[in-house]
Amino acid sequence: MAPWLSDWWPQICETAERGGHTAAEIIEEVSTGKAIGWPVDGGFLLLARTADDAILIWVGVGKGVRNWCGTAEAEISAFAKAVGCNKLRIEGRRGWQRILPHWTRVGDDLELPVT
């Protein structure tokens, strides 16, 4: 789903801007196939494949994240494996580590191997 068609678009833009990205960048990345929108029950994620075969979750918004993050992680892990990626990576706030304690901090990011 195109993120700009989501009810979450204002929050996506706000979160992206806090992370140094712009709405125009999101539109460009999705329109050219370099990123995809991933709706979740209670939120929305933007995913991109990296040069080192990770699926990067570079923008995430929503409510009640603890209620849907496990399902989203499983779905995105399956997607990553299907497209030949070997890990998931999250850019963003340090607060994600409290929600995802089983992920490993690598620099400023969090990573999870895809098995």
Side-chain angles (χ1 to χ4, degrees):
M1 167 185 234
W4 52 88
L5 299 177
S6 166
D7 292 339
W8 294 100
W9 182 238
Q11 292 89 344
I12 292 167
C13 292
E14 182 181 315
T15 301
E17 288 172 5
R18 282 197 312 264
H21 303 286
T22 65
E25 180 182 1
I26 293 168
I27 292 167
E28 174 72 16
E29 295 293 301
V30 173
S31 295
T32 60
K34 295 177 184 173
I36 61 170
W38 193 278
V40 296
D41 186 24
F44 200 92
L45 306 171
L46 290 172
L47 311 178
R49 186 178 188 145
T50 66
D52 65 340
D53 290 326
I55 292 294
L56 173 65
I57 303 166
W58 61 288
V59 176
V61 299
K63 293 184 180 183
V65 67
R66 291 182 194 276
N67 297 325
W68 54 259
C69 69
T71 301
E73 179 182 300
E75 290 173 354
I76 296 167
S77 290
F79 170 73
K81 189 173 184 177
V83 298
C85 290
N86 56 23
K87 61 189 157 198
L88 305 183
R89 182 177 296 138
I90 293 178
E91 287 183 343
R93 301 184 337 234
R94 289 197 170 278
W96 279 109
Q97 191 145 37
R98 286 191 308 271
I99 295 168
L100 303 167
H102 56 291
W103 289 52
T104 302
R105 178 153 299 282
V106 178
D108 291 334
D109 301 333
L110 293 175
E111 290 188 356
L112 181 71
V114 171
T115 55

